[in-house]
Amino acid sequence: MRFAKLAAQPCSISRSLVLLGDRWTLAIVKQAFFRTRRFEDFLQALGISRALLANRLRRLTDAGVLEKVEYQSDNRPRLEYRLTEAGVALYPIIQSIRAWGDAYLAPDGAPLLYQHRGCTGQVRVDLACSDCARPVSARDVEVLPGPGLRAKAPGRRAAVTAPRRR
Amino acid sequence: MRFAKLAAQPCSISRSLVLLGDRWTLAIVKQAFFRTRRFEDFLQALGISRALLANRLRRLTDAGVLEKVEYQSDNRPRLEYRLTEAGVALYPIIQSIRAWGDAYLAPDGAPLLYQHRGCTGQVRVDLACSDCARPVSARDVEVLPGPGLRAKAPGRRAAVTAPRRR
């Protein structure tokens, strides 16, 4: 599978896409942010097949994006899927996809509003400079070698690691 | 193809994923931001098959994310692919994927730095409230019906529309 070779590239976008660049994976993650947690609820919300859903939930769990948590139903233990810290950290990806869709695939306006709770505003995705705090566009960016350039890439099945503190 | 049904959902994330939620599509878009424009250069940079690359470039062109532009090579007209305005607007998605990969899939540090040109800082992705400008996390968000909720969804093969001015 050639796509998996992207994971070996010294590029955080390619590595992430090996997990996320999939027809269903980000749809499942989106659903998790909508507080869907149970297998049957994912099934119903997405209209995905059982086998495919089971496979993608396992991949996301193996990668450390979802975790299985036991809960009680009819006095029997059952499992549900919850976003881990690494999973919750996918929210800017979900929101930037949402913002693009609202701008370019919603000629009649946004189907849903993602409102700041208790406020009147909506979620906005901003790219800014970590130092001068000015807005940054693609044209303002220079790509330079980073500290991890020569490091060995994590394998295809690598789980997420603890986030680096900056 | 059940996945295509997602396009009919009143959800800008689902609609976008029908185009973008694909193993190669965002990798191609990333490469376009690295200023790759020619078929052979995409081929070499990504290690994708010719047929698959041709298919995905056509989909992105049909969708209005890339456009074909003629250039001269050896006195012959040739075509290259450039990001349209809607394509350039995908940059926050690419950067939020990059930021997640740097945080969770780069234990030895970022392989590449996306530096603010002429400055010392890096690109940062922020979610903020459009009104109060405070940082917003997934927990701070309330999802409400929007103006486009009852509108007819664009078809599966819909091209991007002009962005709505806010």
Side-chain angles (χ1 to χ4, degrees):
Chain A
M1 191 184 292
R2 289 195 194 183
F3 190 80
K5 282 192 191 164
L6 285 183
Q9 286 194 6
C11 170
S12 288
I13 303 163
S14 302
R15 289 178 194 170
S16 302
L17 286 177
V18 172
L19 174 65
L20 305 174
D22 166 90
R23 295 178 84 69
W24 286 106
T25 302
L26 282 173
I28 291 168
V29 168
K30 176 206 85 167
Q31 208 55 51
F33 278 111
F34 274 76
R35 304 203 180 15
T36 299
R37 291 180 169 175
R38 299 175 188 182
F39 190 90
E40 301 297 328
D41 294 338
F42 279 109
L43 207 61
Q44 191 172 2
L46 295 169
I48 184 176
S49 79
R50 279 187 171 271
L52 211 48
L53 176 61
N55 175 283
R56 294 304 187 273
L57 287 172
R58 189 164 50 240
R59 279 183 60 195
L60 285 166
T61 308
D62 288 349
V65 164
L66 294 176
E67 62 187 344
K68 285 192 243 187
V69 179
E70 210 176 276
Y71 72 96
Q72 294 287 325
S73 174
D74 300 330
N75 286 323
R76 289 194 316 186
R78 303 227 175 179
L79 289 172
E80 60 179 21
Y81 296 85
R82 294 197 197 167
L83 290 162
T84 62
E85 184 204 327
V88 172
L90 293 168
Y91 201 56
I93 300 177
I94 296 293
Q95 278 298 330
S96 54
I97 292 171
R98 190 273 312 156
W100 189 82
D102 280 351
Y104 293 98
L105 297 174
D108 299 302
L112 298 173
L113 300 176
Y114 293 75
Q115 190 151 318
H116 189 197
R117 197 183 299 278
C119 186
T120 49
Q122 314 292 318
V123 180
R124 208 181 58 195
V125 183
D126 296 324
L127 299 186
C129 172
S130 62
D131 276 5
C132 73
R134 284 222 191 89
V136 170
S137 77
R139 287 184 190 282
D140 306 324
V141 172
E142 194 172 6
V143 184
L144 301 172
L149 186 60
R150 283 186 193 80
K152 196 172 169 299
R156 169 162 162 66
R157 299 236 160 250
V160 296
T161 56
R164 292 170 64 82
R165 304 295 163 201
R166 289 156 219 180
Chain B
M1 190 183 291
R2 290 195 195 184
F3 190 80
K5 282 192 193 163
L6 286 183
Q9 287 194 5
C11 171
S12 288
I13 303 164
S14 302
R15 289 178 193 172
S16 302
L17 286 177
V18 172
L19 173 65
L20 304 174
D22 165 88
R23 294 178 84 66
W24 285 107
T25 301
L26 283 173
I28 291 169
V29 168
K30 176 206 86 166
Q31 208 55 50
F33 279 111
F34 275 76
R35 309 212 178 2
T36 299
R37 290 179 170 176
R38 300 175 186 181
F39 189 91
E40 301 297 328
D41 294 338
F42 279 110
L43 207 61
Q44 190 172 2
L46 295 169
I48 185 177
S49 79
R50 280 187 171 271
L52 211 48
L53 177 60
N55 176 283
R56 293 306 187 272
L57 288 172
R58 189 164 50 239
R59 278 183 59 195
L60 285 165
T61 307
D62 288 350
V65 163
L66 293 177
E67 61 186 343
K68 285 193 242 187
V69 178
E70 210 176 276
Y71 72 98
Q72 293 288 324
S73 173
D74 300 330
N75 285 324
R76 289 195 316 186
R78 303 227 177 178
L79 289 172
E80 62 180 22
Y81 296 85
R82 295 198 197 166
L83 291 161
T84 61
E85 185 204 325
V88 172
L90 293 168
Y91 201 57
I93 301 177
I94 295 293
Q95 278 298 330
S96 54
I97 292 171
R98 191 272 313 158
W100 189 81
D102 280 351
Y104 292 98
L105 297 173
D108 299 301
L112 299 173
L113 301 175
Y114 293 74
Q115 191 152 321
H116 189 197
R117 198 183 297 279
C119 185
T120 49
Q122 313 293 317
V123 180
R124 208 181 57 197
V125 183
D126 296 324
L127 299 186
C129 172
S130 62
D131 277 3
C132 73
R134 284 222 190 87
V136 171
S137 78
R139 287 184 191 282
D140 307 324
V141 173
E142 194 172 5
V143 183
L144 302 172
L149 185 60
R150 283 187 192 80
K152 196 173 171 296
R156 168 163 162 65
R157 298 232 160 250
V160 295
T161 56
R164 290 170 66 83
R165 303 296 162 200
R166 288 158 218 176

